Amino acid sequence: GNSVTQMEGPVTLSEEAFLTINCTYTATGYPSLFWYVQYPGEGLQLLLKATKADDKGSNKGFEATYRKETTSFHLEKGSVQVSDSAVYFCAMDTGRRALTFGSGTRLQVQP
Amino acid sequence: DTEVTQTPKHLVMGMTNKKSLKCEQHMGHRAMYWYKQKAKKPPELMFVYSYEKLSINESVPSRFSPECPNSSLLNLHLHALQPEDSALYLCASSQEEAGTQATQYFGPGTRLLVL
Protein backbone atom coordinates (compact mmCIF):
# COMPACT_ATOMS: atom_id res chain seq x y z
CA GLY A 1 0.00 0.00 0.00
CA ASN A 2 0.92 3.67 -0.10
CA SER A 3 2.96 4.99 2.80
CA VAL A 4 5.35 7.75 3.84
CA THR A 5 8.14 7.19 6.33
CA GLN A 6 9.88 10.03 8.14
CA MET A 7 12.80 10.01 10.51
CA GLU A 8 11.93 9.92 14.17
CA GLY A 9 12.20 13.11 16.17
CA PRO A 10 12.69 15.26 17.96
CA VAL A 11 15.62 16.75 16.08
CA THR A 12 17.49 19.26 18.22
CA LEU A 13 19.93 21.64 16.54
CA SER A 14 21.79 24.79 17.39
CA GLU A 15 21.02 27.95 15.45
CA GLU A 16 22.81 28.11 12.06
CA ALA A 17 23.27 24.32 11.93
CA PHE A 18 22.50 22.29 8.79
CA LEU A 19 19.18 20.48 8.76
CA THR A 20 18.20 17.23 7.06
CA ILE A 21 14.90 15.49 7.69
CA ASN A 22 14.63 12.20 5.83
CA CYS A 23 11.47 11.14 4.02
CA THR A 24 10.90 8.06 1.88
CA TYR A 25 7.73 6.89 0.22
CA THR A 26 6.10 3.77 -1.14
CA ALA A 27 3.55 4.25 -3.89
CA THR A 28 2.31 2.87 -7.15
CA GLY A 29 2.53 5.35 -9.96
CA TYR A 30 4.04 8.81 -9.67
CA PRO A 31 2.83 10.74 -6.65
CA SER A 32 3.21 14.43 -5.96
CA LEU A 33 5.29 15.08 -2.85
CA PHE A 34 4.93 17.81 -0.26
CA TRP A 35 6.46 19.17 2.90
CA TYR A 36 4.10 20.88 5.33
CA VAL A 37 5.11 22.72 8.50
CA GLN A 38 3.01 23.07 11.63
CA TYR A 39 3.97 25.71 14.19
CA PRO A 40 2.75 25.23 17.77
CA GLY A 41 -1.01 25.66 18.08
CA GLU A 42 -1.51 26.27 14.35
CA GLY A 43 -2.68 24.50 11.22
CA LEU A 44 -0.50 23.13 8.44
CA GLN A 45 1.31 25.43 6.05
CA LEU A 46 2.58 24.25 2.70
CA LEU A 47 6.35 24.60 2.73
CA LEU A 48 7.27 23.21 -0.68
CA LYS A 49 6.27 20.62 -3.25
CA ALA A 50 7.48 18.63 -6.25
CA THR A 51 5.31 16.91 -8.81
CA LYS A 52 7.75 14.81 -10.84
CA ALA A 53 11.11 13.09 -10.63
CA ASP A 54 14.16 15.37 -10.26
CA ASP A 55 11.99 18.39 -9.44
CA LYS A 56 13.40 20.52 -6.64
CA GLY A 57 10.96 22.35 -4.40
CA SER A 58 12.27 25.32 -2.44
CA ASN A 59 10.91 27.98 -0.09
CA LYS A 60 12.26 30.11 2.77
CA GLY A 61 15.70 28.49 2.49
CA PHE A 62 14.29 24.93 2.62
CA GLU A 63 14.84 22.55 -0.29
CA ALA A 64 13.81 19.03 -1.23
CA THR A 65 14.46 17.04 -4.41
CA TYR A 66 12.12 14.33 -5.72
CA ARG A 67 14.35 11.27 -6.13
CA LYS A 68 12.49 8.50 -7.94
CA GLU A 69 15.42 6.07 -7.88
CA THR A 70 15.61 6.17 -4.08
CA THR A 71 11.90 7.04 -3.54
CA SER A 72 12.97 9.90 -1.30
CA PHE A 73 12.13 13.56 -0.70
CA HIS A 74 14.51 14.69 2.04
CA LEU A 75 14.10 18.19 3.47
CA GLU A 76 17.23 20.34 3.87
CA LYS A 77 18.13 23.79 5.08
CA GLY A 78 21.61 25.21 5.23
CA SER A 79 21.24 27.32 8.35
CA VAL A 80 18.30 26.91 10.72
CA GLN A 81 16.88 29.61 12.94
CA VAL A 82 15.02 29.43 16.24
CA SER A 83 11.87 30.45 14.32
CA ASP A 84 12.09 27.21 12.30
CA SER A 85 11.14 25.22 15.41
CA ALA A 86 8.00 23.33 14.41
CA VAL A 87 6.71 19.93 13.32
CA TYR A 88 7.46 19.02 9.70
CA PHE A 89 5.25 16.57 7.79
CA CYS A 90 6.19 14.86 4.56
CA ALA A 91 3.15 13.94 2.48
CA MET A 92 2.22 12.50 -0.88
CA ASP A 93 -0.79 12.53 -3.13
CA THR A 94 -1.28 9.65 -5.53
CA GLY A 95 -4.24 11.23 -7.28
CA ARG A 96 -6.94 9.92 -5.01
CA ARG A 97 -7.00 13.45 -3.55
CA ALA A 98 -6.30 12.06 -0.10
CA LEU A 99 -2.91 13.02 1.27
CA THR A 100 -0.82 10.30 2.88
CA PHE A 101 1.22 11.86 5.69
CA GLY A 102 4.35 10.75 7.42
CA SER A 103 4.33 10.66 11.21
CA GLY A 104 5.89 14.14 11.51
CA THR A 105 9.29 15.24 12.79
CA ARG A 106 9.57 17.79 15.56
CA LEU A 107 12.47 20.23 15.10
CA GLN A 108 13.79 22.19 18.05
CA VAL A 109 16.36 24.89 17.32
CA GLN A 110 18.25 26.27 20.27
CA PRO A 111 19.85 29.73 20.31
CA ASP B 1 -4.12 34.46 -1.92
CA THR B 2 -4.00 30.95 -0.49
CA GLU B 3 -6.10 31.50 2.60
CA VAL B 4 -8.52 29.05 4.13
CA THR B 5 -10.36 30.38 7.17
CA GLN B 6 -11.96 28.36 9.94
CA THR B 7 -14.30 29.31 12.77
CA PRO B 8 -14.37 29.04 15.67
CA LYS B 9 -10.73 28.82 16.66
CA HIS B 10 -11.60 26.97 19.87
CA LEU B 11 -14.74 25.09 20.90
CA VAL B 12 -15.73 23.40 24.13
CA MET B 13 -18.87 21.28 24.07
CA GLY B 14 -20.67 18.73 26.17
CA MET B 15 -21.59 15.29 24.93
CA THR B 16 -25.24 16.29 24.44
CA ASN B 17 -24.54 19.51 22.56
CA LYS B 18 -24.92 20.24 18.86
CA LYS B 19 -22.36 22.52 17.30
CA SER B 20 -20.94 23.30 13.87
CA LEU B 21 -17.51 24.05 12.49
CA LYS B 22 -17.20 26.35 9.52
CA CYS B 23 -14.60 26.58 6.77
CA GLU B 24 -14.38 29.10 3.96
CA GLN B 25 -12.13 29.65 0.96
CA HIS B 26 -12.26 32.18 -1.86
CA MET B 27 -9.62 30.73 -4.15
CA GLY B 28 -12.11 29.17 -6.54
CA HIS B 29 -11.13 25.71 -5.39
CA ARG B 30 -13.66 22.99 -6.10
CA ALA B 31 -12.39 20.32 -3.68
CA MET B 32 -12.63 20.72 0.09
CA TYR B 33 -11.57 18.41 2.91
CA TRP B 34 -12.01 17.76 6.61
CA TYR B 35 -9.14 16.25 8.59
CA LYS B 36 -8.88 15.28 12.26
CA GLN B 37 -5.55 15.62 14.05
CA LYS B 38 -4.87 14.19 17.48
CA ALA B 39 -1.93 15.44 19.54
CA LYS B 40 1.47 14.47 18.17
CA LYS B 41 -0.09 12.65 15.22
CA PRO B 42 -0.44 13.49 11.53
CA PRO B 43 -3.83 14.61 10.19
CA GLU B 44 -6.30 11.88 9.28
CA LEU B 45 -8.70 12.39 6.40
CA MET B 46 -12.40 12.41 7.29
CA PHE B 47 -14.29 13.70 4.23
CA VAL B 48 -13.67 15.02 0.73
CA TYR B 49 -16.10 17.15 -1.24
CA SER B 50 -15.63 17.57 -4.97
CA TYR B 51 -17.80 20.06 -6.83
CA GLU B 52 -20.02 20.31 -3.74
CA LYS B 53 -20.67 16.58 -3.67
CA LEU B 54 -19.35 14.17 -1.07
CA SER B 55 -16.76 11.99 -2.81
CA ILE B 56 -14.89 10.36 0.08
CA ASN B 57 -16.10 9.41 3.56
CA GLU B 58 -13.38 7.61 5.47
CA SER B 59 -15.85 5.57 7.56
CA VAL B 60 -16.45 8.47 9.91
CA PRO B 61 -19.09 7.95 12.66
CA SER B 62 -22.46 9.51 11.93
CA ARG B 63 -22.12 11.92 14.85
CA PHE B 64 -19.99 13.92 12.38
CA SER B 65 -22.09 15.29 9.52
CA PRO B 66 -20.45 17.30 6.73
CA GLU B 67 -22.22 19.80 4.54
CA CYS B 68 -21.10 21.82 1.52
CA PRO B 69 -23.69 24.56 0.92
CA ASN B 70 -21.70 26.10 -1.94
CA SER B 71 -18.29 25.94 -3.53
CA SER B 72 -16.73 28.31 -0.98
CA LEU B 73 -18.16 26.90 2.24
CA LEU B 74 -17.75 23.66 4.12
CA ASN B 75 -19.41 22.86 7.43
CA LEU B 76 -18.98 20.03 9.89
CA HIS B 77 -21.99 19.45 12.13
CA LEU B 78 -21.27 17.80 15.45
CA HIS B 79 -23.77 15.95 17.62
CA ALA B 80 -23.45 13.63 20.61
CA LEU B 81 -19.67 13.61 20.49
CA GLN B 82 -17.46 11.61 22.81
CA PRO B 83 -14.44 12.86 24.79
CA GLU B 84 -12.15 10.91 22.44
CA ASP B 85 -13.36 13.17 19.61
CA SER B 86 -11.37 16.02 21.16
CA ALA B 87 -8.81 17.04 18.55
CA LEU B 88 -7.75 19.73 16.10
CA TYR B 89 -10.10 19.75 13.10
CA LEU B 90 -8.47 20.99 9.93
CA CYS B 91 -10.13 22.10 6.73
CA ALA B 92 -8.29 22.16 3.42
CA SER B 93 -9.06 23.02 -0.18
CA SER B 94 -7.51 22.38 -3.58
CA GLN B 95 -8.05 23.20 -7.21
CA GLU B 96 -9.94 20.26 -8.64
CA GLU B 97 -7.88 19.00 -11.55
CA ALA B 98 -9.00 15.78 -13.10
CA GLY B 99 -6.21 13.22 -13.36
CA THR B 100 -3.59 15.29 -11.51
CA GLN B 101 -2.65 15.79 -7.92
CA ALA B 102 -3.54 19.27 -6.72
CA THR B 103 -1.95 21.07 -3.80
CA GLN B 104 -4.04 21.18 -0.64
CA TYR B 105 -4.07 24.39 1.39
CA PHE B 106 -4.99 24.12 5.04
CA GLY B 107 -6.81 26.40 7.42
CA PRO B 108 -5.59 27.14 10.96
CA GLY B 109 -7.94 24.57 12.47
CA THR B 110 -10.57 24.44 15.19
CA ARG B 111 -9.40 23.00 18.48
CA LEU B 112 -12.30 21.00 19.91
CA LEU B 113 -12.64 19.83 23.50
CA VAL B 114 -15.51 17.48 24.36
CA LEU B 115 -16.35 17.26 28.04
Side-chain angles (χ1 to χ4, degrees):
Chain A
N2 297 331
S3 65
V4 175
T5 302
Q6 281 182 244
M7 62 188 291
E8 292 284 329
V11 173
T12 302
L13 295 173
S14 297
E15 209 164 21
E16 299 184 3
F18 185 87
L19 168 71
T20 300
I21 300 178
N22 290 338
C23 171
T24 57
Y25 67 90
T26 301
T28 53
Y30 303 96
S32 289
L33 301 173
F34 306 86
W35 278 101
Y36 285 89
V37 58
Q38 187 171 34
Y39 297 100
E42 298 186 10
L44 273 68
Q45 297 179 22
L46 177 67
L47 184 58
L48 52 83
K49 68 176 183 179
T51 58
K52 61 183 187 295
D54 300 325
D55 265 2
K56 178 187 281 190
S58 61
N59 186 26
K60 299 181 182 179
F62 291 90
E63 293 183 339
T65 301
Y66 190 142
R67 302 282 188 202
K68 184 167 173 286
E69 63 276 13
T70 55
T71 62
S72 65
F73 193 54
H74 304 322
L75 182 68
E76 296 182 335
K77 186 175 185 184
S79 175
V80 293
Q81 305 299 313
V82 172
S83 57
D84 293 326
S85 298
V87 178
Y88 291 82
F89 290 99
C90 184
M92 70 176 180
D93 185 351
T94 57
R96 184 175 170 261
R97 279 183 277 285
L99 286 173
T100 301
F101 285 93
S103 56
T105 301
R106 181 173 300 278
L107 170 66
Q108 297 174 329
V109 180
Q110 298 176 337
Chain B
D1 182 12
T2 56
E3 187 177 28
V4 177
T5 59
Q6 289 187 244
T7 54
K9 193 172 176 63
H10 300 277
L11 179 62
V12 180
M13 61 185 290
M15 289 188 285
T16 59
N17 292 159
K18 287 185 181 182
K19 296 286 185 183
S20 297
L21 309 184
K22 180 179 173 181
C23 173
E24 194 165 5
Q25 57 87 14
H26 294 287
M27 295 178 278
H29 290 175
R30 303 312 298 266
M32 297 185 76
Y33 313 76
W34 280 115
Y35 288 84
K36 174 182 177 180
Q37 186 180 24
K38 301 285 279 184
K40 298 188 179 182
K41 297 289 187 182
E44 297 176 351
L45 183 68
M46 300 175 71
F47 302 103
V48 181
Y49 271 82
S50 177
Y51 290 88
E52 300 164 42
K53 288 185 171 25
L54 184 64
S55 64
I56 297 177
N57 176 342
E58 292 287 294
S59 302
V60 179
S62 60
R63 58 186 184 269
F64 295 92
S65 175
E67 178 197 18
C68 190
N70 61 56
S71 60
S72 301
L73 282 175
L74 184 66
N75 298 320
L76 186 63
H77 302 298
L78 313 173
H79 173 55
L81 293 194
Q82 303 298 308
E84 59 264 28
D85 296 322
S86 299
L88 181 67
Y89 288 83
L90 294 164
C91 175
S93 71
S94 67
Q95 186 79 39
E96 185 76 355
E97 298 171 353
T100 66
Q101 301 103 347
T103 302
Q104 293 186 28
Y105 295 92
F106 286 80
T110 292
R111 192 164 297 281
L112 174 67
L113 178 61
V114 182
L115 300 176

